[in-house]
Amino acid sequence: MWIFLCLLSAATSGLASIIMKKCSKNNNAKSIALIGLATSNILYIIVSILFTDVLTNFSIKNFLQIAPLTICQMTGYICGILSVKYASVSTVIPIRKCNTIVTLVLGILILNESIPILKLILSLILVILTILIVKEDKITEDKDSKKGIMFAWLFVLFNGVSSMLNKYYINTFVNPLVVTFYYSLFGLSIVALYCFFTKSWKCYNLKNINKSYMLFTYILFDFVSNLSYRYCLVDGQVSLAQPIHSSSIIITIIGSYFILKEKISKKKWLMIAGVIICVMLLSI
């Protein structure tokens, strides 16, 4: 069952990346991030309240305990949006899949999960292929692309850490929706405080968002992806779930080629195929 949930998370994550690329074009990244964070956190809170007793058992200690997860995942979320805004999806997404490496290492060091040496070797190959994909794009003279690459690597760091923390907190609280509730409540508080001190409330004006329906479609897919991923971690090891989740690259790359009309060279297709093979082998 956990494998099905992980694949569902991967599929919706891949589609969400394509939709976000369409949405981020000609839109303010700050507005997209703030609306996305606020809306998704409200959805998580509503679902958690409907299906758990978190309100009657509310604890300030639990609220503060989950703060590191919230901060890491929200930072990764923002970096993810900025990465596809400043660079092509077909370049950024392979880099972002290196969060698998971060999660694998943290799973071994912190969660004490047993990882065969072969998986560590495959992870190293995955990183090398990703670097080659970036180099093949010849982006060094393009400031916007360089900025997109930088945000993609920041996403790798924060998302990799948050994936490990998701598993840690699910082991602690057992019910993924309890983790989701405290995570979302803390996240919504951060968004509200940020808007209060920076006076960014105008960013929530949907009239300034081109094709706002695309934004809410992205939020829906991202919502399903994150929730199904947390549920898959109830029974699945994060060191196995994360590589399987990385298969979302297949949908994203193919989608960017057919839907966004992004050009992909034959050499890059071969390297992307190598990344996919590594991800599949890591999932065995």
Side-chain angles (χ1 to χ4, degrees), residues 95-214:
I95 296 174
R96 284 167 49 171
K97 293 309 167 187
C98 284
N99 63 350
T100 300
I101 314 303
V102 177
T103 305
L104 278 171
V105 173
L106 294 177
I108 296 170
L109 297 178
I110 298 178
L111 301 180
N112 297 317
E113 292 185 344
S114 178
I115 309 296
I117 188 66
L118 179 60
K119 287 193 174 183
L120 294 179
I121 295 173
L122 286 170
S123 298
L124 179 61
I125 294 172
L126 183 61
V127 173
I128 293 171
L129 283 172
T130 301
I131 293 172
L132 290 174
I133 288 172
V134 177
K135 185 178 179 181
E136 200 267 340
D137 262 353
K138 298 178 181 179
I139 59 162
T140 52
E141 302 301 322
D142 189 330
K143 290 183 179 180
D144 277 352
S145 290
K146 287 174 67 177
K147 191 182 296 184
I149 298 300
M150 178 191 71
F151 282 118
W153 282 113
L154 286 173
F155 172 89
V156 168
L157 175 63
F158 287 107
N159 191 265
V161 173
S162 67
S163 293
M164 181 277 297
L165 288 175
N166 262 311
K167 178 62 177 178
Y168 172 79
Y169 287 124
I170 287 171
N171 286 343
T172 303
F173 293 96
V174 181
N175 190 336
L177 283 179
V178 174
V179 176
T180 299
F181 173 78
Y182 286 113
Y183 157 83
S184 302
L185 191 61
F186 193 93
L188 200 60
S189 301
I190 292 176
V191 172
L193 286 172
Y194 174 82
C195 291
F196 177 78
F197 286 109
T198 62
K199 298 179 180 179
S200 301
W201 302 110
K202 61 181 180 180
C203 291
Y204 288 97
N205 188 349
L206 291 177
K207 292 181 179 179
N208 296 329
I209 302 293
N210 294 321
K211 298 181 179 179
S212 58
Y213 69 90
M214 293 291 291

Side-chain angles (χ1 to χ4, degrees), residues 7 26-27 29 32 42 65-66 78 81 122 138 149 173 180 192 211 225 232:
L7 289 173
N26 300 323
N27 273 320
I32 292 173
I42 290 171
Q65 186 178 352
I66 293 182
I78 294 170
I81 290 175
L122 286 170
K138 298 178 181 179
I149 298 300
F173 293 96
T180 299
K211 298 181 179 179
S225 177
C232 91

Side-chain angles (χ1 to χ4, degrees), residues 18-146:
I18 298 171
I19 295 168
M20 176 47 64
K21 179 63 177 181
K22 298 267 299 178
C23 182
S24 61
K25 189 176 182 180
N26 300 323
N27 273 320
N28 183 278
K30 182 179 177 181
S31 294
I32 292 173
L34 288 175
I35 293 173
L37 286 170
T39 306
S40 59
N41 282 327
I42 290 171
L43 284 174
Y44 289 133
I45 290 171
I46 292 172
V47 171
S48 300
I49 291 173
L50 289 175
F51 295 99
T52 68
D53 56 354
V54 286
L55 286 183
T56 56
N57 296 318
F58 180 80
S59 167
I60 293 294
K61 179 183 177 181
N62 292 340
F63 175 73
L64 295 175
Q65 186 178 352
I66 293 182
L69 169 62
T70 308
I71 294 170
C72 282
Q73 197 150 332
M74 287 181 66
T75 305
Y77 175 90
I78 294 170
C79 289
I81 290 175
L82 292 173
S83 69
V84 294
K85 182 176 178 63
Y86 294 112
S88 70
V89 169
S90 55
T91 296
V92 164
I93 298 304
I95 296 174
R96 284 167 49 171
K97 293 309 167 187
C98 284
N99 63 350
T100 300
I101 314 303
V102 177
T103 305
L104 278 171
V105 173
L106 294 177
I108 296 170
L109 297 178
I110 298 178
L111 301 180
N112 297 317
E113 292 185 344
S114 178
I115 309 296
I117 188 66
L118 179 60
K119 287 193 174 183
L120 294 179
I121 295 173
L122 286 170
S123 298
L124 179 61
I125 294 172
L126 183 61
V127 173
I128 293 171
L129 283 172
T130 301
I131 293 172
L132 290 174
I133 288 172
V134 177
K135 185 178 179 181
E136 200 267 340
D137 262 353
K138 298 178 181 179
I139 59 162
T140 52
E141 302 301 322
D142 189 330
K143 290 183 179 180
D144 277 352
S145 290
K146 287 174 67 177

